[in-house]
Amino acid sequence: MRFRHPDGSTVHLAYCTNVHPAETLDGVLAQLRDHCEPVRRRLGRDRLGIGLWLAKDAALALVTDPSALRGLRTELDRRGLEVVTLNGFPYEGFGAEEVKYRVYKPDWTDPERLDHTTALARVLAGLLPDDVTEGSISTLPLAWRTAYDERSAKTAGAALLTLAERLDALAELTGRDIRVGLEPEPGCVVETTGDAIAPLTAIGHDRIGICVDTCHLATSFEDPHTALDALTDARVQIVKSQLSAALHAEQPHLPDVREALAAFDEPRFLHQTRTATAAGLRGTDDLGQALNGEALPDASPWRSHFHVPLHAAPAAPLTSTLPVLAVALTRLVGGPHPLTRHLEVETYTWQALPAELRPRARSQLADGIAAELTLARDLLTDLGLKELP
């Protein structure tokens, strides 16, 4: 979906396909048919933006076979879909029964991460619509925090500099400006937007920036105004923003609240949980750890890294951090000029929701994704952006 900002520029809104597990190119093509096109039809749109997640094998197939890349581009056009952004965070196995810590491998100390991201950039350059020259890719925020030392930091920094050089060369060759954004996430080396400033400033290249995920922002209790002001002051490029909402528990000490939270403690994904105390931010790596014993203080609200559907906050006594998303979006695109032009709804946890909330058929999932995009569209038009055909 495209929107005209009051300054005349185009802002793109997509939804991320990591909600549909697929590891191969055939799986990606099936996603377009079974999920993405039905969502577009529900929205009554001739064209819908999707943020593709391409696992290792799918990306390799596309980057090594020009005919396969042309075929994907043709299929996108045929189904009324367009791609200006990729999710390059998960490498493979995102649809596995248990993902947890595996999603952080390979990290930016491993050459495989550089090679995979380079492949994604080359693929995206070939998928961009004819009238679009800028593409974006979100990626791992360096590494999970454990076993990361000064030597690791030097290795990761060198890899990102190499990536920047490759993106420069790609731009010269194709005329397509592909940018990559580190996506801060709780528990990682770069947990907050503030943590991103030093490494990105050290790299000092405008094609390597940040992806602001509003669920992660909220989980870490970051104030959107403060965070985005700091990024602007440091001249860090906001490559894209993922529009998502975290799970919020206002009174985690109450038994009924803890019981409600326990329904979201599921085995597939890691749900880092945080609370803000007078001594600073406290947290656990997973929701179950917070609920068991006294690992996390419960005198103040808890937020958990669980991407809940934007349009459907959990039932009381829980809620979501949608208000944080709304404030962040106001700053991202509500000013005289957008801070980023690539927005992506990223609720990948539909099938990880408590059983009674999960979609039971493809049609229900398509309905839910369309409802999320409708909410995001309404937020954008309320900020003065005009939806384009």
Side-chain angles (χ1 to χ4, degrees), residues 25 57-73 123:
L25 180 54
D57 290 345
L60 185 62
L62 290 166
V63 81
T64 57
D65 184 352
S67 66
L69 184 59
R70 288 195 297 271
L72 175 57
R73 173 68 184 274
V123 168

Side-chain angles (χ1 to χ4, degrees), residues 248-265:
H248 180 96
E250 186 68 19
Q251 297 179 299
H253 64 284
L254 296 178
D256 64 325
V257 175
R258 296 176 85 92
E259 182 180 355
L261 283 169
F264 288 84
D265 180 26

Side-chain angles (χ1 to χ4, degrees), residues 307-371:
H307 290 220
V308 296
L310 300 187
H311 68 293
L318 304 178
T319 186
S320 81
T321 61
L322 183 63
V324 177
L325 184 161
V327 172
L329 193 60
T330 299
R331 289 298 312 278
L332 287 167
V333 300
H337 303 287
L339 300 182
T340 183
R341 288 187 290 273
H342 290 181
L343 305 172
E344 178 183 58
V345 171
E346 197 214 11
T347 305
Y348 58 84
T349 46
W350 277 95
Q351 297 300 339
L353 290 167
E356 67 275 13
L357 302 178
R358 294 175 199 165
R360 292 183 297 277
R362 276 184 198 161
S363 60
Q364 289 181 314
L365 178 59
D367 288 343
I369 294 170

Side-chain angles (χ1 to χ4, degrees), residues 35-96:
H35 299 287
C36 302
E37 186 176 9
V39 170
R40 177 183 65 77
R41 292 187 182 280
R42 278 163 172 75
L43 291 166
R45 302 283 307 174
D46 293 332
R47 173 175 55 188
L48 176 68
I50 58 172
L52 274 181
W53 171 59
L54 298 172
K56 173 192 67 171
D57 290 345
L60 185 62
L62 290 166
V63 81
T64 57
D65 184 352
S67 66
L69 184 59
R70 288 195 297 271
L72 175 57
R73 173 68 184 274
T74 298
E75 191 70 0
L76 288 165
D77 291 342
R78 186 167 78 87
R79 298 194 181 279
L81 306 168
E82 66 177 12
V83 174
V84 303
T85 189
L86 301 180
N87 186 330
F89 196 133
Y91 181 67
E92 61 182 342
F94 199 60

